[in-house]
Amino acid sequence: MEQQLQQLKEEALKKIQDAQGVKELNDVRVAYLGKKGPITDLLKGMGKLPAEERPKMGALVNVVRETVTEALESRMAVLEEAAIQAQLENESIDVTLPGRPAPAGNHHPLTRVVEEIEDFFISMGYEIAEGPEVEKDYYNFEALNLPKGHPARDMQDSFYISEDVLLRTHTSPVQARTMEAKKGEAIKIICPGKVYRRDNDDATHSHQFTQIEGLVVGENIRMSDLKGTLDLFAKKMFGADREIRLRPSFFPFTEPSVEMDISCFKCGGAGCNVCKKTGWIEILGAGMVHPNVLKMAGYDPSVVTGFAFGMGPERIAMLKYGVEDIRHFYTNDIRFISQFNRTEA
Ligand code: DAH
């Protein structure tokens, strides 16, 4: 029996040394020291021994049990420490790793152009005015000297909500609304916003687009004021060496009416694909506010005069950034939109 005990001890100690994990070691503990283990069995079998052998054997079994228990405990300490170490290594944070970039949004190219235009006019003392996109026929047409049946209405086919209500076809109705609200006071505003036309969408047409309207009303507002303003604007948006050219045109709400071109920013006027070999690029419509428009809004055209202009930010953005299809602004393709970021241009 002594030999058996010795063997048992060695076997247990070897298994303890060989155990590679906490769980494995626990299994060894249960196998050797548990209630159904061999050491417990030996202690239970003590009764069958002759009385004189019992103390000696009892002491031997206890020594073996203590030796095994101690070995278990010290191995357990080692394995637990190793487990913690392994966990620490696994979960450690490498602070030198580059961070994962959080995808940040950008301003939409159109928003950028609109804000750039707004910034320019705000710096010139203009205020920003807004009006409804669902507009009355009266403000969209009539108050702008476009009575029912006027042939120029055909140029701006609209989406009608009812006979008298439509989606505005331009931002010009904000002129009439602002004059009505200001009741004869001087005015210096720009009005950015969405407009709608019944057009078939293609590379240069969209049924929804953006406009920015300008209106200045007061005493002694002259055509030269309009020209100087547009000249500064063209230089701010397209480069300090731009020149402008005013060509006679027609709008029912201005008299005289003009169309403004800028000298081509790509070729400087020599002729290229951007300016279609003319050296000039058409940018906006403008003119002196028609006396009828002033009158209808309660202003006295013999006392005050005004100028107005209207432009399309899409066209300006397309020119500035070389965008070849207006639909890119609305189809929300991230590959298009992410080409524009706040820091450049
Ligand atoms: N409303 C015009 C359009 O949509 C643009 C325009 C031209 C606005 C001349 C103006 C202006 O204020 O004076 O085609």
Side-chain angles (χ1 to χ4, degrees):
M1 184 161 169
E2 245 186 273
Q3 214 186 341
Q4 203 188 337
L5 248 181
Q6 200 56 33
Q7 212 184 332
L8 200 63
K9 182 179 91 179
E10 265 150 39
E11 199 184 284
L13 291 180
K14 181 164 188 323
K15 288 209 172 144
I16 289 167
Q17 273 323 304
D18 288 349
Q20 293 304 319
V22 172
K23 186 177 172 312
E24 202 183 325
L25 192 60
N26 264 324
D27 291 346
V28 176
R29 179 207 304 280
V30 172
Y32 286 88
L33 300 178
K35 279 188 195 134
K36 291 175 188 153
I39 294 179
T40 312
D41 279 354
L42 281 173
L43 283 170
K44 277 187 199 153
M46 222 39 112
K48 289 179 200 141
L49 288 175
E52 66 276 14
E53 278 186 36
R54 275 182 217 159
K56 192 182 152 218
M57 281 312 293
L60 261 177
V61 175
N62 274 334
V63 168
V64 169
R65 192 171 57 177
E66 269 159 36
T67 312
V68 171
T69 306
E70 269 168 32
L72 264 168
E73 275 167 10
S74 69
R75 181 74 185 145
M76 187 59 95
V78 169
L79 289 180
E80 276 174 355
E81 172 68 22
I84 289 173
Q85 210 51 47
Q87 192 180 8
L88 279 175
E89 267 161 37
N90 267 335
E91 292 177 1
S92 67
I93 296 168
D94 181 353
V95 292
T96 65
L97 271 180
R100 292 186 196 96
N106 260 326
H107 278 91
H108 191 279
L110 210 47
T111 307
R112 291 182 55 179
V113 167
V114 170
E115 284 180 357
E116 204 182 326
I117 296 171
E118 285 176 359
D119 285 350
F120 168 76
F121 283 104
I122 288 169
S123 80
M124 300 272 286
Y126 286 67
E127 282 173 42
I128 295 192
E130 288 185 327
E133 287 169 31
V134 180
E135 184 55 287
K136 290 186 173 144
D137 181 280
Y138 175 77
Y139 290 110
N140 196 78
F141 291 127
E142 263 175 72
L144 297 171
N145 208 24
L146 275 148
K148 286 207 160 70
H150 193 292
R153 283 192 178 209
D154 291 352
M155 281 159 36
Q156 302 189 3
D157 199 3
S158 178
F159 298 100
Y160 280 87
I161 310 288
S162 70
E163 192 147 329
D164 290 318
V165 179
L166 57 130
L167 298 185
R168 69 180 178 190
T169 56
H170 49 181
T171 44
S172 304
V174 188
Q175 288 190 31
R177 285 180 169 275
T178 307
M179 284 190 272
E180 239 182 51
K182 291 276 186 179
K183 297 194 184 347
E185 283 172 37
I187 296 173
K188 204 168 167 186
I189 52 157
I190 56 162
C191 335
K194 289 196 208 88
V195 301
Y196 304 83
R197 288 198 195 168
R198 240 183 79 176
D199 259 335
N200 289 323
D201 292 2
D202 62 23
T204 53
H205 293 86
S206 170
H207 60 280
Q208 181 208 302
F209 56 104
T210 317
Q211 281 194 340
I212 296 184
E213 192 81 13
L215 174 70
V216 175
V217 178
E219 285 178 30
N220 292 320
I221 302 294
R222 293 161 307 183
M223 186 95 181
S224 53
D225 297 318
L226 170 64
K227 193 173 175 191
T229 304
L230 295 181
D231 187 52
L232 276 176
F233 169 71
K235 288 176 165 55
K236 170 71 175 33
M237 290 303 286
F238 294 101
D241 48 358
R242 292 285 65 71
E243 281 175 37
I244 65 162
R245 172 175 90 171
L246 301 182
R247 280 180 291 111
S249 184
F250 171 78
F251 301 103
F253 32 91
T254 44
E255 181 59 36
S257 302
V258 294
E259 218 117 17
M260 180 191 85
D261 301 337
I262 59 167
S263 58
C264 181
F265 51 83
K266 187 172 178 204
C267 63
C272 69
N273 58 331
V274 172
C275 59
K276 299 194 187 95
K277 305 248 184 286
T278 64
W280 296 94
I281 302 171
E282 186 186 317
I283 296 290
L284 53 76
M288 299 306 290
V289 180
H290 197 290
N292 287 352
V293 173
L294 289 169
K295 238 183 278 170
M296 275 184 277
Y299 282 71
D300 181 351
S302 67
V303 180
V304 293
T305 47
F307 68 72
F309 54 86
M311 65 183 100
E314 277 87 348
R315 181 169 162 72
I316 293 177
M318 287 169 87
L319 287 167
K320 250 179 107 93
Y321 299 127
V323 176
E324 78 291 354
D325 193 321
I326 194 171
R327 291 167 292 194
H328 285 319
F329 292 118
Y330 311 111
T331 43
N332 279 341
D333 185 333
I334 197 75
R335 291 169 303 176
F336 170 73
I337 290 172
S338 58
Q339 291 176 69
F340 305 86
N341 75 54
R342 203 72 186 131
T343 49
E344 49 170 286

